[in-house]
Amino acid sequence: MEWNQRLAQARKACGLTQQEAADQIRQYLPESEWVQKVTLSSWEQGRTQPRIQHALALALLYHTDPYQIFGTEQMSTGLNEAGRAKLAEFRELLLESPRYHAQGEVSRKVRYLPVYLQPASAGTGQWLDDDLAEEMEVDDAVPTKAEFGVRLAGDSMSPRFADGQIVWARKAEQAENGEIVLCVLNDQGYCKKLRYDENGVFLVSLNPAYQPIPVQESDEFRIAGVVVG
């Protein structure tokens, strides 16, 4: 199997579309290095090759060792001796974390967390505050601080969170300014960035296409948790 086929296989194993992968890879890159879906498609077809920083970011996004996708020779192309040494150092750091081991190579620390069946909205708002939840088996890829999960609906929290993605949170009734929270506003569940300023309290989307939602004094508002992953 060629490296570009392994790259496409790793994305599909994570359940991501090319657009979702292009959006989510941004969390590992400076804005000047962001890529579009057409670039990712070109990589997966083998027509062009990602640069080192993109290859490492893709490995992080897909929870894998970059060498398993690209191979030693491919990863080292264009690097001098110091660069190859740095690449080897980065590989060792990945291998030290159970999160990036290939399945079956290490034992996983498994635990079970509740995932609420009703989604929290990353868009228009849906009911969050119910008791219907299923127990889901999770491993070290889920932060140890997580106490429950909620699946998102909508795209207002992209590129960090995609439609349908499970976000993990710790239970909390209060949150700091700037933290991403799961909250209930007038019987509607939201996943939003909390903002306090001189104009009041707002629920802010990461997608600039959505306007902040003001929280009025007359509203019924409470925080259910702070997102940790």
Side-chain angles (χ1 to χ4, degrees):
M1 184 182 294
E2 298 294 327
W3 69 266
N4 58 299
Q5 295 173 311
R6 292 193 296 270
L7 183 63
Q9 185 181 65
R11 172 181 58 78
K12 294 173 183 177
C14 291
L16 297 173
T17 65
Q18 288 183 340
Q19 185 62 64
E20 289 170 343
D23 289 340
Q24 293 187 36
I25 196 178
R26 296 179 179 181
Q27 62 188 300
Y28 303 111
L29 294 165
E31 187 172 355
S32 60
E33 299 289 346
W34 288 1
V35 297
Q36 303 298 319
K37 174 187 173 183
V38 65
T39 304
L40 189 64
S41 177
S42 179
W43 294 340
E44 292 187 359
Q45 293 176 37
R47 290 189 282 112
T48 58
Q49 299 179 9
R51 290 187 288 175
I52 292 297
Q53 60 267 40
H54 293 122
L56 297 179
L58 286 166
L60 287 171
L61 179 62
Y62 298 155
H63 311 308
T64 189
D65 183 338
Y67 286 86
Q68 291 182 350
I69 298 177
F70 300 101
T72 303
E73 182 177 352
Q74 189 80 21
M75 287 292 293
S76 301
T77 300
L79 295 181
N80 59 21
E81 184 176 350
R84 289 193 293 271
K86 277 292 183 184
L87 190 60
E89 180 182 343
F90 183 87
R91 183 175 187 267
E92 290 303 314
L93 288 174
L94 284 179
L95 291 175
E96 287 176 6
S97 171
R99 178 176 180 178
Y100 302 115
H101 278 282
Q103 187 175 5
E105 289 187 2
V106 295
S107 60
R108 299 182 306 154
K109 294 182 179 179
V110 175
R111 65 191 194 279
Y112 293 86
L113 294 176
V115 176
Y116 287 92
L117 302 183
Q118 285 285 358
S121 178
T124 57
Q126 295 186 26
W127 179 249
L128 168 68
D129 192 21
D130 66 35
D131 295 326
L132 297 177
E134 61 180 353
E135 292 291 316
M136 178 176 290
E137 179 182 311
V138 300
D139 57 21
D140 290 337
V142 176
T144 56
K145 293 181 180 179
E147 296 179 277
F148 68 97
V150 176
R151 194 176 300 276
L152 297 188
D155 66 349
S156 75
M157 294 302 284
S158 67
R160 179 170 177 182
F161 300 112
D163 182 25
Q165 179 179 348
I166 295 176
V167 297
W168 301 100
R170 60 175 175 82
K171 296 177 182 178
E173 296 180 356
Q174 297 180 336
E176 299 293 331
N177 189 25
E179 287 187 307
I180 295 177
V181 299
L182 293 168
C183 59
V184 180
L185 176 64
N186 296 328
D187 294 338
Q188 299 292 304
Y190 290 92
C191 176
K192 297 291 180 185
K193 184 176 180 179
L194 189 64
R195 188 180 79 196
Y196 301 104
D197 60 29
E198 65 276 7
N199 297 313
V201 180
F202 296 87
L203 303 180
V204 181
S205 301
L206 300 184
N207 185 339
Y210 292 82
Q211 294 296 316
I213 301 172
V215 179
Q216 309 291 348
E217 290 186 5
S218 58
D219 289 333
E220 294 185 6
F221 174 71
R222 72 176 182 85
I223 295 170
V226 173
V227 173
V228 296

